């Protein structure tokens, strides 16, 4: 199950390293098309997660997992063979659909064969796989693109998906199906709300936050979300009962996961750029430099459940969120002169926080839902991760781009990547100015994300503290 999670997350992070090759390829994509080649996967993936989780609860998680891996592989093949940009966009969308089917099923199937006492460790291992997948995606993409062209990167995932589908057919447990009506209107409204929200977050950094299309997207997200809540509260068989979010284990858990991944994807967005532009690492070197963070996360995450049992989940979450904030602040101090070993320590501090905080939060979400809805609980976890990721990239990209370009002379002020490339051609002095401007802007971006994560962490901890008081409603579930 975790191998499938790693493959899905590797596609999320790895494709960013293919953008330079895609930009100069025979497809001749425009700047807007490049953005959508990256982001349409995330849009479809995140938008369909909750309906896909509910579908797995109803039809069985094993067949949905196998079907999702088949769709994922077909989408990757379509991307590798794409003769033009529209076909590549369709392939990316199909890949996102497959990913949405796979992710909820992986956790639900893992929990189905896990004894109750080991469920926290299972959630921790699953959570660690998401972080490791992101790091491995950078390494695989960097290694592949160093020697081959971009279609090879997508083609690599086709045999991986086929192998995982075959292993799932052979070894994945068959779980019971839970009959019930399909809430098609509810699913459509939720997909509409999430799609509009993510569209606004994705396009805001490109079109401007005050542009008509971005404001319309956010307005549509609010409207669809309100209609979804009204529909679910009045329906007999809703896709999800919105009142569940009032349960501290669910509401605080979802908010906490958003906050943790807000911090993590701020790092994902800036890390490779810093190592490449400021430190001069090539693609393979960048992937290898990031890998220790993923391995640390993978090692810490399964152990967070044992620590939560010893210290209490709230203390573990507090420690993890504090380490994430501390890691972001330390990373904000990095310059081109910072030695890698010191930068690596900052990465490991943040990785330890990411390994500690999300597993207890995710376990609380899953434990608060009936066993028949474990696929839905897994989907809520995944959707929270993707929303946090999109929000993080929106905040970091806006802050860094604005501050970076503002400090550069007009001759090189176009975009982050174009400016650094242009500055390199203008001589070492100009390149040094651009590098300093980038690291200063990066520091401001990290500090902005650190403040947001700190505010979310405090909100989550107060919410959980109130819920865990003896006699408080939902206290038993929140402490799980």
């Amino acid at each position: 199950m975790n191998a499938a999670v790693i493959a899905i997350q590797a596609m999320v992070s790895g494709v960013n390293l293919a953008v330079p090759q895609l930009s100069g390829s025979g497809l001749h994509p425009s700047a807007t098309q490049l953005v959508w080649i990256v982001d349409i996967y995330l849009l479809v993936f995140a938008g369909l997660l909750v309906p896909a989780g509910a579908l797995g609860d109803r039809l069985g998680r094993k067949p949905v997992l196998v079907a999702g891996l088949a769709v994922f592989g077909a989408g990757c093949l379509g991307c590798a063979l794409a003769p033009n940009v529209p076909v590549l966009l369709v392939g990316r969308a199909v890949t996102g659909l497959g990913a949405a089917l796979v992710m909820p099923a992986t956790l639900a199937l893992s929990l189905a064969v896990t004894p109750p006492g080991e469920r926290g460790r299972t959630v921790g291992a699953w959570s660690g796989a998401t972080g490791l997948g992101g790091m491995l995606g950078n390494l695989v993409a960097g290694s592949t693109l160093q020697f081959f062209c971009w279609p090879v990167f997508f083609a690599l995932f086709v045999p991986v998906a086929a192998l995982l589908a075959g292993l799932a057919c052979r070894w994945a447990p068959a779980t019971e199906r839970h009959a019930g009506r399909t809430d098609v209107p509810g699913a459509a409204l939720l997909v509409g709300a999430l799609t509009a929200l993510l569209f606004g977050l994705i396009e805001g950094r490109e079109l401007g936050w005050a542009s008509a299309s971005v404001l319309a997207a956010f307005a549509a997200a609010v409207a669809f979300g309100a209609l979804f809540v009204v529909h679910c509260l009045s329906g007999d068989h809703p896709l999800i009962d919105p009142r569940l979010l009032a349960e501290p284990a669910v509401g605080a858990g979802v908010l906490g996961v958003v906050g943790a991944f807000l911090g993590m994807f701020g790092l994902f967005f800036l890390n490779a750029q810093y190592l490449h532009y400021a430190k001069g690492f090539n693609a393979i070197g960048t992937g290898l430099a990031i890998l220790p963070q993923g391995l640390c996360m993978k090692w810490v995450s399964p152990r967070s459940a044992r620590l939560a049992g010893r210290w209490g989940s709230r203390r573990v979450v507090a420690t993890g969120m504090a380490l994430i904030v501390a890691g972001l602040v330390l990373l904000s101090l990095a310059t081109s002169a910072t030695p890698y070993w010191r930068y690596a320590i900052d990465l490991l501090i943040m990785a330890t926080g990411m390994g500690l905080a999300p597993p207890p939060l995710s376990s609380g979400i899953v434990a608060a839902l009936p066993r028949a809805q474990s696929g839905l609980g897994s989907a809520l976890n995944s959707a929270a991760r993707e929303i946090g990721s999109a929000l993080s990239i929106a905040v970091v990209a806006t802050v860094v781009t604005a501050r970076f370009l503002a400090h550069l002379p007009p001759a090189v002020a176009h975009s982050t990547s174009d400016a650094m490339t242009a500055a390199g051609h203008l001589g070492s002095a100009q390149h040094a100015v651009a590098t300093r401007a980038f690291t200063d802007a990066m520091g401001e971006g990290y500090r902005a994300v650190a403040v947001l994560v700190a505010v979310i962490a405090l909100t989550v901890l107060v919410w959980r503290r109130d819920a865990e008081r003896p006699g408080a409603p939902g206290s038993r579930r929140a402490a799980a």
Side-chain angles (χ1 to χ4, degrees), residues 378-393:
S378 174
L380 282 173
N381 272 301
S382 299
R385 291 163 187 262
E386 301 309 319
I387 291 171
S389 304
L391 180 60
S392 176
I393 293 171

Side-chain angles (χ1 to χ4, degrees), residues 142-383:
S143 303
T144 303
L145 298 171
Q146 189 80 17
F147 304 105
F148 303 100
C149 55
W150 63 266
V152 176
F153 169 71
F154 291 108
L156 286 175
F157 287 85
V158 178
V160 171
L163 175 62
L164 290 173
L167 292 173
C169 286
R170 177 67 179 85
W171 298 108
T175 58
E176 59 183 355
R177 302 181 181 188
H178 303 280
R181 297 179 186 176
T182 302
D183 184 13
V184 176
L189 289 170
L190 181 60
V191 169
L194 289 175
T195 300
L197 173 63
L198 291 166
F199 178 89
L201 292 173
I202 290 167
E203 286 296 299
R205 66 182 190 269
E206 297 292 329
L207 303 179
W209 297 104
S211 65
S213 57
V214 171
L215 293 176
F218 287 137
V222 172
F224 279 123
L227 289 172
F228 172 74
V229 171
V230 171
H231 168 79
C232 289
L233 290 175
S234 60
D236 294 330
H237 301 280
L239 178 67
I240 183 173
D241 187 346
R243 286 167 292 204
L244 280 172
L245 293 176
E247 291 282 346
V250 180
V254 168
L255 181 60
V257 170
V258 169
F261 277 77
L262 175 66
M264 181 175 175
F265 268 77
L267 173 62
F268 275 8
F269 183 79
L270 292 173
N271 204 9
Q273 294 184 66
Y274 167 77
L275 291 170
H276 179 64
Y277 295 135
K279 301 299 292 180
F281 287 25
N282 61 20
I284 295 178
T286 297
L288 289 172
I290 295 171
L291 187 59
Q293 184 190 15
L295 295 174
C296 177
M297 239 185 102
K298 181 62 177 171
W299 186 82
V300 172
S301 291
R303 290 161 175 79
S304 65
R306 185 168 54 197
L307 294 174
R310 184 181 304 168
W311 296 344
S313 62
R314 186 168 170 271
R315 289 183 181 178
V316 173
V317 170
T319 302
M321 297 301 270
L323 287 172
I324 292 171
V325 173
L328 289 167
V329 172
L330 290 171
L331 288 166
S332 75
L333 304 176
T335 68
S336 59
T338 301
Y340 171 73
W341 66 264
R342 198 168 79 191
Y343 185 76
I345 291 174
D346 299 343
L347 292 180
L348 293 177
I349 289 172
M350 192 163 173
T352 302
M354 283 301 304
L356 288 174
L361 294 167
S362 298
S363 295
I365 296 171
V366 174
L369 295 173
R371 193 175 184 87
Q373 291 184 307
S374 59
L376 183 60
S378 174
L380 282 173
N381 272 301
S382 299

